[in-house]
Amino acid sequence: MWIFPVLFLAFVYALVLFGMGRFLQPSHDRLRLKRLDNPAVVQTLARGWAALTSGRSLERITDELSVRRHVASRRGDQF
């Protein structure tokens, strides 16, 4: 029964790595999730791992999120 929590934690960790790798990919180079193949998923996980091991890359994620919020707020002001 100990295998289920271990598998769950591994799955969650892989999702975190994938999400970080996805945010580090420039938005114009990102593939849609339906178009991702095995090499693209592995590359995204590797990019997430590299971001997790270097703290400098995490600034890029927060910068991109702040730009998205700014763009979304400007779109809301137009209406």
Side-chain angles (χ1 to χ4, degrees):
M1 285 308 235
W2 59 270
I3 193 73
F4 293 119
V6 171
L7 288 175
F8 178 74
L9 289 175
F11 180 72
V12 169
Y13 187 67
L15 283 177
V16 168
L17 288 179
F18 184 81
M20 290 176 68
R22 187 98 169 131
F23 276 121
L24 285 175
Q25 179 76 17
S27 60
H28 58 83
D29 286 340
R30 276 187 212 143
L31 293 174
R32 291 185 177 174
L33 290 176
K34 290 182 179 182
R35 296 188 64 196
L36 286 176
D37 54 352
N38 287 339
V41 171
V42 170
Q43 183 182 17
T44 303
L45 288 172
R47 190 178 300 112
W49 176 259
L52 189 63
T53 58
S54 95
R56 191 175 53 171
S57 297
L58 296 177
E59 290 177 6
R60 187 169 169 194
I61 294 173
T62 57
D63 291 344
E64 185 171 334
L65 289 175
S66 66
V67 167
R68 286 184 182 184
R69 282 191 207 125
H70 180 68
V71 169
S73 68
R74 294 186 92 214
R75 285 182 185 166
D77 293 339
Q78 293 175 355
F79 297 111

Coordinates of all heavy atoms in Angstrom, one line a residue:
M1 N 0.8 -1.2 0.0 CA 0.0 0.0 0.0 C 0.8 1.3 0.0 O 0.3 2.3 -0.3 CB -0.9 0.0 1.2 CG -2.1 -0.9 1.1 SD -2.9 -0.6 -0.4 CE -4.5 -0.4 0.1
W2 N 2.1 1.2 0.3 CA 3.0 2.4 0.3 C 3.3 2.9 -1.1 O 3.7 4.0 -1.3 CB 4.3 2.1 1.0 CG 5.0 0.9 0.4 CD1 4.9 -0.4 0.7 CD2 6.0 1.0 -0.7 NE1 5.8 -1.1 -0.1 CE2 6.4 -0.3 -0.9 CE3 6.5 2.1 -1.4 CZ2 7.4 -0.5 -1.9 CZ3 7.4 1.8 -2.4 CH2 7.9 0.5 -2.6
I3 N 3.0 2.1 -2.1 CA 3.3 2.4 -3.5 C 2.4 3.5 -4.0 O 2.8 4.4 -4.8 CB 3.3 1.2 -4.4 CG1 3.9 1.5 -5.8 CG2 1.9 0.7 -4.7 CD1 5.4 1.6 -5.7
F4 N 1.2 3.6 -3.6 CA 0.2 4.6 -4.1 C 0.6 6.0 -3.7 O 0.6 6.9 -4.5 CB -1.2 4.3 -3.6 CG -1.7 3.1 -4.2 CD1 -2.1 2.0 -3.5 CD2 -1.9 2.9 -5.6 CE1 -2.6 0.8 -4.0 CE2 -2.4 1.8 -6.2 CZ -2.7 0.7 -5.4
P5 N 1.0 6.3 -2.4 CA 1.5 7.6 -2.1 C 2.8 8.0 -2.8 O 2.9 9.2 -3.2 CB 1.7 7.6 -0.6 CG 0.9 6.4 -0.1 CD 0.9 5.5 -1.2
V6 N 3.6 7.0 -3.0 CA 4.9 7.3 -3.7 C 4.6 7.7 -5.2 O 5.1 8.6 -5.7 CB 5.9 6.1 -3.6 CG1 7.1 6.3 -4.5 CG2 6.3 5.9 -2.2
L7 N 3.7 6.9 -5.8 CA 3.3 7.2 -7.2 C 2.6 8.6 -7.3 O 2.9 9.3 -8.3 CB 2.5 6.1 -7.8 CG 3.2 4.8 -8.1 CD1 2.1 3.8 -8.5 CD2 4.2 5.0 -9.1
F8 N 1.8 8.9 -6.4 CA 1.1 10.2 -6.4 C 2.1 11.3 -6.2 O 2.0 12.3 -7.0 CB 0.1 10.2 -5.2 CG -0.7 11.5 -5.1 CD1 -1.6 11.8 -6.0 CD2 -0.3 12.4 -4.1 CE1 -2.3 13.1 -6.0 CE2 -1.0 13.6 -4.0 CZ -2.0 13.9 -4.9
L9 N 3.0 11.2 -5.3 CA 4.0 12.2 -5.2 C 4.9 12.4 -6.4 O 5.3 13.5 -6.8 CB 4.9 12.0 -3.9 CG 4.2 12.1 -2.6 CD1 5.1 11.7 -1.5 CD2 3.8 13.6 -2.4
A10 N 5.3 11.3 -7.0 CA 6.0 11.4 -8.3 C 5.3 12.0 -9.4 O 5.8 12.8 -10.1 CB 6.5 10.0 -8.7
F11 N 4.0 11.7 -9.5 CA 3.1 12.4 -10.5 C 3.0 13.9 -10.2 O 3.1 14.7 -11.2 CB 1.7 11.7 -10.5 CG 0.8 12.3 -11.5 CD1 1.0 12.0 -12.8 CD2 -0.3 13.1 -11.1 CE1 0.1 12.5 -13.8 CE2 -1.1 13.6 -12.0 CZ -1.0 13.3 -13.3
V12 N 2.8 14.3 -9.0 CA 2.7 15.7 -8.7 C 4.0 16.4 -9.0 O 4.0 17.5 -9.5 CB 2.2 15.9 -7.2 CG1 2.3 17.3 -6.8 CG2 0.8 15.4 -7.0
Y13 N 5.1 15.8 -8.6 CA 6.4 16.4 -8.9 C 6.6 16.6 -10.4 O 7.1 17.6 -10.8 CB 7.5 15.5 -8.3 CG 8.9 16.1 -8.3 CD1 9.2 17.2 -7.6 CD2 9.9 15.5 -9.1 CE1 10.5 17.8 -7.7 CE2 11.1 16.1 -9.2 CZ 11.4 17.2 -8.4 OH 12.7 17.7 -8.5
A14 N 6.2 15.6 -11.2 CA 6.4 15.7 -12.6 C 5.5 16.8 -13.2 O 5.9 17.5 -14.1 CB 6.0 14.3 -13.3
L15 N 4.3 17.0 -12.6 CA 3.4 18.1 -13.0 C 4.0 19.4 -12.7 O 3.9 20.4 -13.5 CB 2.1 17.9 -12.4 CG 1.1 16.9 -13.0 CD1 -0.2 16.8 -12.1 CD2 0.8 17.2 -14.4
V16 N 4.7 19.5 -11.5 CA 5.3 20.8 -11.2 C 6.5 21.1 -12.1 O 6.6 22.2 -12.6 CB 5.8 20.7 -9.7 CG1 6.7 21.9 -9.4 CG2 4.6 20.7 -8.8
L17 N 7.3 20.1 -12.4 CA 8.4 20.3 -13.4 C 7.8 20.7 -14.8 O 8.4 21.5 -15.4 CB 9.2 19.0 -13.5 CG 10.1 18.7 -12.3 CD1 10.8 17.4 -12.6 CD2 11.0 19.8 -12.0
F18 N 6.8 20.0 -15.2 CA 6.2 20.3 -16.5 C 5.7 21.7 -16.5 O 5.9 22.4 -17.5 CB 5.1 19.3 -16.8 CG 4.5 19.5 -18.2 CD1 5.1 18.9 -19.3 CD2 3.3 20.2 -18.4 CE1 4.6 19.1 -20.6 CE2 2.8 20.3 -19.6 CZ 3.4 19.8 -20.7
G19 N 5.0 22.1 -15.5 CA 4.4 23.5 -15.4 C 5.5 24.5 -15.5 O 5.4 25.5 -16.2
M20 N 6.6 24.3 -14.7 CA 7.7 25.3 -14.7 C 8.4 25.3 -16.1 O 8.7 26.4 -16.6 CB 8.7 24.9 -13.6 CG 8.2 25.1 -12.2 SD 9.3 24.5 -11.0 CE 10.7 25.7 -11.2
G21 N 8.6 24.1 -16.7 CA 9.2 24.1 -18.0 C 8.3 24.8 -19.0 O 8.8 25.4 -20.0
R22 N 7.0 24.6 -18.9 CA 6.1 25.2 -19.8 C 6.1 26.7 -19.8 O 6.1 27.4 -20.8 CB 4.7 24.7 -19.5 CG 3.7 25.1 -20.5 CD 3.4 24.0 -21.4 NE 2.2 24.3 -22.2 CZ 2.2 24.2 -23.5 NH1 3.2 23.8 -24.1 NH2 1.1 24.6 -24.1
F23 N 6.2 27.3 -18.5 CA 6.3 28.7 -18.4 C 7.6 29.3 -18.9 O 7.7 30.5 -19.3 CB 6.0 29.2 -16.9 CG 4.6 29.3 -16.6 CD1 4.1 28.5 -15.6 CD2 3.8 30.1 -17.3 CE1 2.7 28.6 -15.3 CE2 2.4 30.2 -17.0 CZ 1.9 29.5 -15.9
L24 N 8.7 28.5 -18.8 CA 10.0 29.0 -19.3 C 10.1 29.0 -20.8 O 10.9 29.7 -21.3 CB 11.1 28.2 -18.7 CG 11.4 28.4 -17.2 CD1 12.4 27.5 -16.6 CD2 11.8 29.9 -17.0
Q25 N 9.3 28.2 -21.4 CA 9.3 28.2 -22.9 C 8.7 29.5 -23.4 O 7.6 30.0 -22.9 CB 8.5 27.1 -23.4 CG 8.4 26.9 -24.9 CD 9.6 26.4 -25.5 OE1 10.5 25.8 -24.8 NE2 9.8 26.6 -26.8
P26 N 9.4 30.2 -24.3 CA 8.8 31.5 -24.8 C 7.4 31.2 -25.4 O 7.2 30.2 -26.0 CB 9.8 31.9 -25.9 CG 11.0 31.2 -25.6 CD 10.7 30.0 -24.9
S27 N 6.5 32.1 -25.2 CA 5.1 31.9 -25.6 C 4.9 31.7 -27.1 O 4.1 30.9 -27.6 CB 4.2 33.0 -25.2 OG 4.6 34.2 -25.7
H28 N 5.8 32.2 -27.9 CA 5.7 32.1 -29.4 C 6.2 30.7 -29.8 O 6.0 30.3 -30.9 CB 6.4 33.2 -30.1 CG 7.8 33.3 -29.8 ND1 8.8 32.6 -30.4 CD2 8.5 34.2 -28.9 CE1 10.0 32.9 -29.9 NE2 9.8 33.9 -29.0
D29 N 7.0 30.0 -29.0 CA 7.5 28.7 -29.3 C 6.8 27.5 -28.7 O 7.1 26.4 -28.9 CB 9.0 28.6 -28.9 CG 9.9 29.4 -29.7 OD1 9.5 29.7 -30.9 OD2 11.0 29.7 -29.3
R30 N 5.8 27.8 -27.8 CA 5.0 26.8 -27.1 C 4.1 26.0 -28.1 O 3.4 26.6 -28.9 CB 4.2 27.4 -26.0 CG 4.9 27.6 -24.8 CD 4.0 28.0 -23.7 NE 4.8 28.9 -22.8 CZ 4.3 29.9 -22.2 NH1 3.0 30.3 -22.3 NH2 5.1 30.7 -21.5
L31 N 4.1 24.7 -27.9 CA 3.2 23.9 -28.7 C 1.9 23.8 -27.9 O 1.9 23.9 -26.6 CB 3.8 22.5 -28.9 CG 5.0 22.4 -29.8 CD1 5.5 21.0 -29.8 CD2 4.6 22.8 -31.2
R32 N 0.8 23.5 -28.5 CA -0.4 23.3 -27.8 C -0.3 21.9 -27.1 O 0.5 21.0 -27.6 CB -1.6 23.2 -28.8 CG -1.9 24.6 -29.3 CD -3.1 24.5 -30.1 NE -3.5 25.9 -30.6 CZ -4.4 26.1 -31.4 NH1 -5.1 25.1 -31.9 NH2 -4.7 27.4 -31.8
L33 N -1.0 21.7 -26.1 CA -0.9 20.4 -25.3 C -1.2 19.2 -26.2 O -0.7 18.2 -26.0 CB -1.7 20.5 -24.1 CG -1.2 21.4 -23.0 CD1 -2.2 21.5 -21.8 CD2 0.2 21.0 -22.5
K34 N -2.2 19.4 -27.1 CA -2.6 18.3 -28.0 C -1.5 17.9 -29.0 O -1.4 16.8 -29.5 CB -3.8 18.6 -28.7 CG -5.1 18.7 -27.9 CD -6.3 19.0 -28.7 CE -7.5 19.1 -27.8 NZ -8.7 19.3 -28.6
R35 N -0.6 18.9 -29.3 CA 0.5 18.6 -30.3 C 1.8 18.1 -29.6 O 2.7 17.9 -30.4 CB 0.7 19.9 -31.1 CG -0.5 20.3 -31.9 CD -0.2 21.4 -32.8 NE 0.8 21.0 -33.8 CZ 1.5 21.8 -34.5 NH1 1.3 23.1 -34.4 NH2 2.3 21.3 -35.4
L36 N 1.8 18.0 -28.3 CA 3.1 17.6 -27.7 C 3.3 16.1 -27.9 O 2.4 15.3 -27.8 CB 3.0 17.8 -26.2 CG 3.1 19.2 -25.7 CD1 2.9 19.3 -24.2 CD2 4.5 19.8 -26.1
D37 N 4.5 15.8 -28.4 CA 4.9 14.4 -28.5 C 5.9 14.0 -27.4 O 6.2 14.9 -26.6 CB 5.5 14.1 -29.9 CG 6.6 15.0 -30.3 OD1 6.9 16.0 -29.5 OD2 7.2 14.8 -31.3
N38 N 6.4 12.8 -27.4 CA 7.3 12.4 -26.3 C 8.5 13.2 -26.2 O 8.9 13.6 -25.1 CB 7.6 10.9 -26.5 CG 6.4 10.0 -26.1 OD1 5.5 10.4 -25.4 ND2 6.5 8.8 -26.6
P39 N 9.3 13.5 -27.2 CA 10.5 14.3 -27.1 C 10.2 15.7 -26.5 O 10.9 16.3 -25.8 CB 11.1 14.4 -28.5 CG 10.5 13.2 -29.2 CD 9.2 13.0 -28.6
A40 N 9.0 16.3 -26.9 CA 8.7 17.6 -26.4 C 8.3 17.6 -25.0 O 8.7 18.5 -24.2 CB 7.5 18.2 -27.2
V41 N 7.7 16.6 -24.5 CA 7.4 16.4 -23.1 C 8.7 16.3 -22.3 O 8.8 16.9 -21.2 CB 6.4 15.2 -22.8 CG1 6.2 15.0 -21.4 CG2 5.0 15.5 -23.5
V42 N 9.6 15.4 -22.8 CA 10.8 15.2 -22.0 C 11.6 16.5 -22.0 O 12.2 16.9 -21.0 CB 11.6 14.1 -22.7 CG1 13.0 14.0 -22.2 CG2 10.9 12.8 -22.5
Q43 N 11.6 17.3 -23.1 CA 12.4 18.5 -23.1 C 11.7 19.5 -22.1 O 12.4 20.3 -21.5 CB 12.3 19.1 -24.5 CG 13.1 20.4 -24.7 CD 13.1 21.0 -26.1 OE1 12.2 20.6 -26.8 NE2 14.0 21.9 -26.4
T44 N 10.4 19.5 -22.1 CA 9.7 20.4 -21.1 C 10.0 20.1 -19.7 O 10.3 20.9 -18.8 CB 8.2 20.4 -21.4 OG1 8.0 20.7 -22.7 CG2 7.5 21.4 -20.5
L45 N 10.1 18.8 -19.4 CA 10.4 18.3 -18.0 C 11.9 18.7 -17.7 O 12.2 19.1 -16.6 CB 10.2 16.8 -17.9 CG 8.8 16.3 -17.8 CD1 8.7 14.8 -17.9 CD2 8.1 16.9 -16.6
A46 N 12.8 18.5 -18.7 CA 14.2 18.9 -18.5 C 14.3 20.4 -18.2 O 15.1 20.8 -17.4 CB 15.0 18.4 -19.6
R47 N 13.6 21.2 -18.9 CA 13.6 22.6 -18.8 C 13.1 23.0 -17.4 O 13.6 23.9 -16.7 CB 12.8 23.3 -19.8 CG 13.0 24.8 -19.9 CD 12.2 25.5 -21.0 NE 12.5 25.0 -22.3 CZ 11.7 24.2 -23.0 NH1 10.5 24.0 -22.7 NH2 12.1 23.8 -24.2
G48 N 12.1 22.3 -16.9 CA 11.6 22.5 -15.6 C 12.6 22.1 -14.5 O 12.7 22.8 -13.5
W49 N 13.3 21.0 -14.7 CA 14.3 20.6 -13.8 C 15.4 21.6 -13.7 O 15.9 21.9 -12.6 CB 14.8 19.2 -14.2 CG 16.0 18.7 -13.3 CD1 17.3 18.8 -13.6 CD2 15.9 18.2 -12.0 NE1 18.0 18.3 -12.6 CE2 17.2 17.9 -11.6 CE3 14.8 17.9 -11.2 CZ2 17.4 17.4 -10.3 CZ3 15.0 17.4 -9.9 CH2 16.3 17.2 -9.5
A50 N 15.8 22.1 -14.9 CA 16.9 23.1 -14.9 C 16.5 24.4 -14.2 O 17.3 25.0 -13.5 CB 17.3 23.4 -16.3
A51 N 15.2 24.7 -14.3 CA 14.7 25.9 -13.6 C 14.6 25.7 -12.1 O 14.9 26.6 -11.4 CB 13.3 26.3 -14.2
L52 N 14.3 24.5 -11.7 CA 14.2 24.2 -10.3 C 15.6 24.2 -9.7 O 15.7 24.7 -8.5 CB 13.5 22.9 -10.1 CG 13.2 22.5 -8.7 CD1 12.2 23.5 -8.1 CD2 12.6 21.1 -8.6
T53 N 16.6 23.8 -10.4 CA 18.0 23.7 -9.8 C 18.7 25.1 -9.9 O 19.7 25.2 -9.2 CB 18.8 22.6 -10.5 OG1 18.9 22.9 -11.9 CG2 18.2 21.3 -10.2
S54 N 18.2 26.0 -10.7 CA 18.8 27.3 -10.7 C 17.8 28.3 -10.3 O 16.7 28.5 -11.0 CB 19.4 27.6 -12.1 OG 18.6 28.3 -12.9
G55 N 18.0 29.1 -9.3 CA 17.1 30.1 -8.8 C 16.9 31.3 -9.8 O 15.9 31.9 -9.7
R56 N 17.9 31.5 -10.6 CA 17.8 32.7 -11.5 C 16.7 32.5 -12.5 O 16.1 33.5 -12.9 CB 19.1 32.8 -12.2 CG 19.3 34.1 -12.9 CD 20.7 34.2 -13.5 NE 21.0 33.0 -14.3 CZ 22.0 32.9 -15.1 NH1 22.9 33.9 -15.1 NH2 22.2 31.8 -15.7
S57 N 16.4 31.3 -13.0 CA 15.4 31.1 -14.0 C 14.0 31.3 -13.5 O 13.1 31.6 -14.2 CB 15.5 29.7 -14.5 OG 16.7 29.5 -15.2
L58 N 13.8 31.2 -12.2 CA 12.5 31.4 -11.6 C 12.0 32.9 -11.8 O 10.8 33.1 -11.8 CB 12.5 31.0 -10.1 CG 12.7 29.5 -9.9 CD1 12.8 29.3 -8.4 CD2 11.7 28.7 -10.5
E59 N 12.9 33.8 -11.9 CA 12.5 35.2 -12.1 C 11.8 35.3 -13.4 O 10.9 36.1 -13.6 CB 13.8 36.1 -12.1 CG 14.4 36.2 -10.8 CD 15.7 37.1 -10.8 OE1 16.0 37.7 -11.9 OE2 16.4 37.2 -9.8
R60 N 12.2 34.5 -14.4 CA 11.6 34.6 -15.7 C 10.1 34.2 -15.6 O 9.2 34.8 -16.3 CB 12.3 33.7 -16.7 CG 11.9 33.8 -18.1 CD 12.8 33.1 -19.0 NE 12.2 33.0 -20.3 CZ 12.7 32.3 -21.3 NH1 13.7 31.5 -21.1 NH2 12.1 32.2 -22.4
I61 N 9.8 33.2 -14.8 CA 8.4 32.8 -14.6 C 7.6 33.9 -14.0 O 6.5 34.2 -14.5 CB 8.3 31.5 -13.8 CG1 9.0 30.3 -14.5 CG2 6.9 31.1 -13.4 CD1 9.1 29.1 -13.7
T62 N 8.1 34.5 -13.0 CA 7.3 35.5 -12.3 C 7.2 36.8 -13.2 O 6.2 37.4 -13.2 CB 8.0 35.9 -11.0 OG1 9.4 36.3 -11.2 CG2 8.0 34.8 -10.0
D63 N 8.2 37.1 -14.0 CA 8.2 38.2 -14.9 C 7.1 37.9 -16.0 O 6.3 38.8 -16.3 CB 9.5 38.4 -15.6 CG 10.5 39.0 -14.7 OD1 10.2 39.4 -13.6 OD2 11.7 38.9 -15.0
E64 N 7.0 36.7 -16.5 CA 6.0 36.4 -17.5 C 4.6 36.5 -16.9 O 3.7 36.9 -17.6 CB 6.3 35.1 -18.2 CG 5.4 34.8 -19.3 CD 5.8 33.5 -20.1 OE1 6.9 33.2 -20.1 OE2 4.8 32.9 -20.6
L65 N 4.5 36.0 -15.7 CA 3.1 36.0 -15.1 C 2.7 37.5 -14.9 O 1.5 37.8 -15.0 CB 3.1 35.2 -13.8 CG 3.2 33.7 -13.9 CD1 3.4 33.1 -12.6 CD2 2.0 33.2 -14.7
S66 N 3.6 38.3 -14.5 CA 3.2 39.7 -14.2 C 2.9 40.4 -15.5 O 2.0 41.3 -15.6 CB 4.4 40.5 -13.5 OG 5.5 40.6 -14.3
V67 N 3.6 40.1 -16.6 CA 3.2 40.6 -17.9 C 1.9 40.2 -18.4 O 1.1 41.0 -18.9 CB 4.3 40.3 -19.0 CG1 3.8 40.6 -20.4 CG2 5.6 41.0 -18.7
R68 N 1.5 38.9 -18.2 CA 0.2 38.4 -18.5 C -0.9 39.1 -17.7 O -1.9 39.4 -18.2 CB 0.1 36.9 -18.3 CG 0.9 36.1 -19.3 CD 0.7 34.7 -19.1 NE 1.4 33.9 -20.0 CZ 1.4 32.6 -20.1 NH1 0.6 31.9 -19.3 NH2 2.1 31.9 -21.0
R69 N -0.6 39.3 -16.4 CA -1.6 40.1 -15.6 C -1.8 41.5 -16.1 O -2.9 42.0 -16.2 CB -1.2 40.1 -14.2 CG -1.4 38.8 -13.5 CD -1.2 39.0 -12.0 NE -0.8 37.7 -11.4 CZ 0.2 37.4 -10.7 NH1 1.0 38.4 -10.4 NH2 0.5 36.2 -10.3
H70 N -0.7 42.1 -16.5 CA -0.8 43.5 -17.0 C -1.6 43.6 -18.3 O -2.4 44.4 -18.5 CB 0.6 44.1 -17.2 CG 0.7 45.5 -17.7 ND1 0.2 46.5 -16.9 CD2 1.1 46.0 -18.9 CE1 0.4 47.6 -17.6 NE2 0.9 47.3 -18.8
V71 N -1.3 42.6 -19.2 CA -2.0 42.6 -20.5 C -3.5 42.3 -20.3 O -4.4 42.9 -20.9 CB -1.4 41.5 -21.4 CG1 -2.3 41.3 -22.6 CG2 0.0 42.0 -21.9
A72 N -3.8 41.4 -19.4 CA -5.2 41.0 -19.1 C -5.9 42.2 -18.5 O -7.1 42.5 -18.8 CB -5.3 39.8 -18.1
S73 N -5.2 43.0 -17.6 CA -5.9 44.2 -17.0 C -6.1 45.3 -18.0 O -7.1 46.0 -18.0 CB -5.1 44.7 -15.8 OG -3.9 45.2 -16.3
R74 N -5.2 45.4 -19.0 CA -5.4 46.4 -20.1 C -6.5 46.0 -21.0 O -7.3 46.9 -21.5 CB -4.1 46.5 -20.9 CG -3.0 47.1 -20.0 CD -1.8 47.4 -20.9 NE -1.9 48.8 -21.3 CZ -1.5 49.2 -22.5 NH1 -0.9 48.4 -23.3 NH2 -1.6 50.5 -22.8
R75 N -6.7 44.7 -21.2 CA -7.8 44.3 -22.1 C -9.2 44.6 -21.4 O -10.1 44.9 -22.0 CB -7.7 42.8 -22.4 CG -6.7 42.4 -23.4 CD -6.7 41.0 -23.7 NE -5.6 40.7 -24.5 CZ -5.1 39.4 -24.8 NH1 -5.7 38.4 -24.2 NH2 -4.1 39.2 -25.6
G76 N -9.2 44.4 -20.1 CA -10.4 44.7 -19.3 C -10.7 46.2 -19.3 O -11.9 46.6 -19.2
D77 N -9.7 47.0 -19.4 CA -9.9 48.5 -19.4 C -10.5 49.0 -20.7 O -11.1 50.0 -20.8 CB -8.6 49.2 -19.1 CG -8.1 49.0 -17.7 OD1 -8.9 48.6 -16.9 OD2 -6.9 49.2 -17.5
Q78 N -10.3 48.2 -21.8 CA -10.8 48.7 -23.1 C -12.3 48.6 -23.3 O -12.9 49.3 -24.1 CB -10.1 47.9 -24.2 CG -8.6 48.1 -24.3 CD -8.0 47.2 -25.3 OE1 -8.7 46.3 -25.9 NE2 -6.7 47.4 -25.6
F79 N -12.9 47.8 -22.5 CA -14.4 47.5 -22.7 C -15.2 48.4 -21.8 O -15.1 48.9 -20.9 CB -14.7 46.1 -22.4 CG -14.1 45.2 -23.4 CD1 -13.1 44.3 -23.0 CD2 -14.5 45.2 -24.7 CE1 -12.5 43.4 -23.9 CE2 -13.9 44.3 -25.6 CZ -12.9 43.4 -25.2

